[in-house]
Amino acid sequence: MLVCGSITVEEQSMSFFPGNDPAAGDAFACDAIENLIVPRASDIGGFSVRRALPTRDRRLVGPFIFFDRMGPAILKAGEALDVKPHPHIGLSTVTYLFDGEIKHRDSLGTEVVVRPGDINLMTAGRGIVHSERTPENLRGHPLSMSGLQTWLALPDDKEEIAPDFSHTEREAMPLIDIAGATGRVVIGDFAGLRSPVKTFTDTLYADLSLTPGAKFPFPADHEERAIYILSGSLEVAGDVFAADQLLAFRAGDDITLKGGVDGCHIMLFGGAALNSRRYIWWNFVSSSKERIEQAKEEWRTGRFDIVPGDEDEFVPLPKG
């Protein structure tokens, strides 16, 4: 069991995709950067996953308690994504794709296909079960897959709310198009724009691309902020950072972002810090160890709801 800061990690394989713990990055000169995190890739049958949060040195950024980079990868003909039904409590899962499609089913009866640029926001609250699979019409063909899997820890007074699901298509998200910077505000407020996606606490999630040399302000409007570099290179205060690095910034410092020599594609994220400690075990997040033990027993004994249309399989409770 690892204990650091405001979160306790009791099981390191916390999602369907088992990921390696990230490593601390090289030394850097920029005083505005509090943590530099270099995720280590895991290869799951040719499918690359990089886990950026949580780490020993940085457990959360705002409500973001979990951050996985999936792919880019090509699933060969005959291969498919098949995440069997599994449970969650105490969090909202966020599915955001750059390439590929995933069919989501859950115990509320939801059945929807998420496509690039769409947002699936599934709020577990007191408990939900879901599966994520390659749609039937895409099976049997090579399939490219690239995206992000993130979790938002729920505030203390929302941990046990009724489960909910919302799907927002990319066309509903406000676009950023300012002098070499393009993208969209996925969740929250940014650059004078607001996403329609509902949140329970101050949350920032923005998809941004910068052309080479283009500058863009990253003001200290949110208590905690970070950037994940998806591709290209990013310059901050004269330091240049490569793809697949996470930069967590100090509170209160306005930052200017600059596209590197080949430009960059980045995700900006963060929000308000949580008021209390969080524990993670497998797919469960809670401010209470006892609540996690209860959820473990409920899944082991089959007391969670089933997923209509996907009742025949499930992910068993991990040992230990």
Side-chain angles (χ1 to χ4, degrees):
M1 181 172 68
L2 307 177
V3 182
C4 181
S6 60
I7 176 174
T8 300
V9 181
E10 299 195 24
E11 176 66 36
Q12 293 183 24
S13 181
M14 293 169 292
S15 77
F16 177 81
F17 300 110
N20 292 323
D21 281 347
D26 296 331
F28 48 88
C30 180
D31 291 336
I33 297 176
E34 193 169 66
N35 302 101
L36 171 60
I37 298 165
V38 182
R40 293 183 293 171
S42 297
D43 184 79
I44 298 101
F47 192 88
S48 176
V49 177
R50 292 176 173 84
R51 178 156 302 155
L53 288 177
T55 74
R56 290 179 181 270
D57 295 327
R58 187 78 191 212
R59 316 312 268 168
L60 301 98
V61 178
F64 286 83
I65 198 168
F66 186 89
F67 196 109
D68 262 12
R69 170 71 165 116
M70 305 179 295
I74 301 293
L75 299 178
K76 300 175 183 178
E79 296 179 341
L81 179 69
D82 278 308
V83 183
K84 300 174 185 178
H86 59 282
H88 290 282
I89 66 165
L91 57 87
S92 294
T93 66
V94 182
T95 303
Y96 187 66
L97 298 180
F98 305 114
D99 204 0
E101 297 182 10
I102 296 176
K103 175 180 277 191
H104 165 98
R105 289 189 178 103
D106 63 41
S107 51
L108 299 174
T110 308
E111 183 175 334
V112 65
V113 175
V114 59
R115 297 181 173 87
D118 297 348
I119 274 287
N120 272 9
L121 181 70
M122 185 188 73
T123 299
R126 62 175 177 257
I128 199 168
V129 182
H130 75 134
S131 64
E132 296 167 295
R133 300 182 185 268
T134 298
E136 289 79 1
N137 64 304
L138 298 180
R139 292 174 181 260
H141 308 281
L143 176 66
S144 57
M145 183 65 66
S146 176
L148 295 171
Q149 180 189 42
T150 57
W151 296 354
L152 306 175
L154 293 173
D156 293 0
D157 61 345
K158 305 295 184 188
E159 288 187 285
E160 295 296 322
I161 61 175
D164 190 30
F165 177 86
S166 67
H167 174 85
T168 305
E169 295 186 353
R170 60 177 294 161
E171 290 77 14
M173 298 173 198
L175 296 176
I176 300 168
D177 191 357
I178 307 171
T182 57
R184 54 178 35 87
V185 180
V186 180
I187 300 176
D189 296 278
F190 184 66
L193 303 170
R194 180 169 181 80
S195 166
V197 177
K198 178 183 177 181
T199 59
F200 297 98
T201 185
D202 178 50
T203 305
L204 166 67
Y205 204 31
D207 182 347
L208 187 68
S209 293
L210 300 177
T211 58
K215 295 182 179 181
F216 199 86
F218 193 10
D221 295 339
H222 302 274
E223 184 177 1
E224 297 185 350
R225 298 164 298 155
I227 288 175
Y228 189 92
I229 304 170
L230 297 159
S231 63
S233 60
L234 173 69
E235 183 177 330
V236 179
D239 282 347
V240 178
F241 302 92
D244 293 311
Q245 296 185 12
L246 187 153
L247 314 178
F249 296 94
R250 298 185 188 279
D253 291 341
D254 291 336
I255 307 298
T256 297
L257 309 175
K258 183 179 178 181
V261 293
D262 46 356
C264 61
H265 182 195
I266 58 180
M267 291 298 295
L268 295 77
F269 65 100
L274 295 179
N275 293 325
S276 62
R277 176 178 300 221
R278 287 297 179 274
Y279 301 93
I280 299 180
W281 192 91
W282 191 39
N283 300 310
F284 303 140
V285 172
S286 180
S287 59
S288 165
K289 287 184 177 181
E290 291 74 20
R291 180 66 181 93
I292 288 181
E293 290 302 315
Q294 178 187 349
K296 290 163 64 174
E297 182 64 14
E298 288 174 351
W299 184 246
R300 189 185 66 81
T301 57
R303 282 182 280 163
F304 275 82
D305 292 335
I306 62 171
V307 177
D310 203 346
E311 306 96 336
D312 297 333
E313 296 182 301
F314 66 94
V315 180
L317 189 76
K319 296 179 180 180

